[in-house]
Amino acid sequence: MIETQEKQERAILLGVELQDTENFNMSMEELVSLAKTAGAEVVASYSQKRDKYDSKSFIGSGKLAELKDLVEADEIDTVIVNNRLTPRQNSNLEAELGVKVIDRMQLILDIFAMRARSHEGKLQVHLAQLKYLLPRLVGQGIMLSRQAGGIGSRGPGESQLELNRRAIRNQITDIERQLKVVEKIAKPFVKNVWTQTLLRLV
């Protein structure tokens, strides 16, 4: 029997260095490590120096055109942004580039989802993902990057995240209810690492 390995997502990393940005190169190197941990094949890193982020597309129009050419030439599946994108920037980048775009926060939550083991840990990660994704849904709640699956859309236990607004709100309510039950039976002196870490991130 021949086993086939799941195809790695080919990714380009994108970062913007502002004048007051500290340790930018180190941050980009860390992003490479995070992307590989999530299972991506990092094809290239692309950066731009700016006075401020473009409110519409994060990077300037000229650099965006260059990035689009790279995405097409290198058959890129995913663009991973080193900064936290606004819903508008995320949507505009995906529309222009035609591929999935995720930011650093989504990448980190995706890694947490892969590594969550306990029932409570999985609930906490899933809750954090849903709360982060909800304001990023466009139209009727379908976002291009989530349709593609893979990195950025994995839920604990390898399930795909549900992307309907009403369904997400219902899931959030249900998970919060489940967590209250878990917290009641948990030992008071046990500190939950997932809770502390995710509260700092989201």
Side-chain angles (χ1 to χ4, degrees):
M1 181 178 178
I2 300 177
E3 294 185 0
T4 57
Q5 291 185 337
E6 184 178 348
K7 178 180 176 293
Q8 279 187 297
E9 290 183 43
R10 292 172 58 80
I12 283 181
L13 309 185
L14 172 64
V16 167
E17 182 179 6
L18 303 182
Q19 290 183 346
D20 59 350
T21 301
E22 296 182 356
N23 302 317
F24 176 75
N25 291 334
M26 184 182 298
S27 178
M28 289 296 290
E29 290 174 3
E30 184 180 58
L31 188 65
V32 172
S33 178
L34 290 171
K36 289 181 178 179
T37 298
E41 176 189 353
V42 178
V43 177
S45 292
Y46 190 77
S47 62
Q48 180 183 30
K49 291 185 177 181
R50 291 180 59 88
D51 294 329
K52 62 180 181 179
Y53 304 123
D54 187 283
S55 61
K56 293 182 179 179
S57 57
F58 183 65
I59 56 176
S61 58
K63 289 294 183 181
L64 182 57
E66 291 178 11
L67 180 59
K68 184 175 182 179
D69 289 340
L70 287 175
V71 166
E72 294 175 352
D74 291 332
E75 299 182 338
I76 298 301
D77 303 301
T78 307
V79 172
I80 303 175
V81 181
N82 193 35
N83 308 73
R84 188 163 181 165
L85 297 173
T86 66
R88 183 187 188 190
Q89 290 169 333
N90 208 140
S91 178
N92 288 341
L93 279 173
E94 289 191 332
E96 183 65 29
L97 298 175
V99 296
K100 177 172 60 178
V101 176
I102 65 173
D103 62 15
R104 189 184 185 97
M105 176 62 69
Q106 289 170 282
L107 179 63
I108 291 172
L109 288 175
D110 193 73
I111 293 172
F112 273 122
M114 293 169 58
R115 295 184 171 181
R117 292 293 179 267
S118 70
H119 178 60
E120 184 178 3
K122 290 179 180 180
L123 287 175
Q124 289 165 344
V125 174
H126 200 180
L127 180 62
Q129 287 179 312
L130 293 174
K131 286 186 173 181
Y132 190 69
L133 288 176
L134 185 58
R136 284 164 166 72
L137 298 181
V138 296
Q140 295 300 312
I142 300 300
M143 187 174 178
L144 175 61
S145 66
R146 298 299 157 260
Q147 293 179 17
I151 298 172
S153 64
R154 287 176 290 215
E158 299 303 317
S159 62
Q160 292 294 315
L161 295 176
E162 172 61 56
L163 295 181
N164 176 275
R165 284 182 182 274
R166 181 178 297 177
I168 283 185
R169 291 193 179 97
N170 289 340
Q171 286 185 69
I172 288 174
T173 299
D174 183 58
I175 292 173
E176 288 177 337
R177 178 187 57 77
Q178 292 183 59
L179 281 172
K180 286 181 180 179
V181 174
V182 173
E183 289 169 0
K184 284 183 179 180
I185 62 176
K187 294 181 179 180
F189 60 85
V190 175
K191 289 186 177 180
N192 193 295
V193 177
W194 289 107
T195 301
Q196 300 302 320
T197 305
L198 291 172
L199 283 176
R200 289 197 298 268
L201 288 173
V202 178

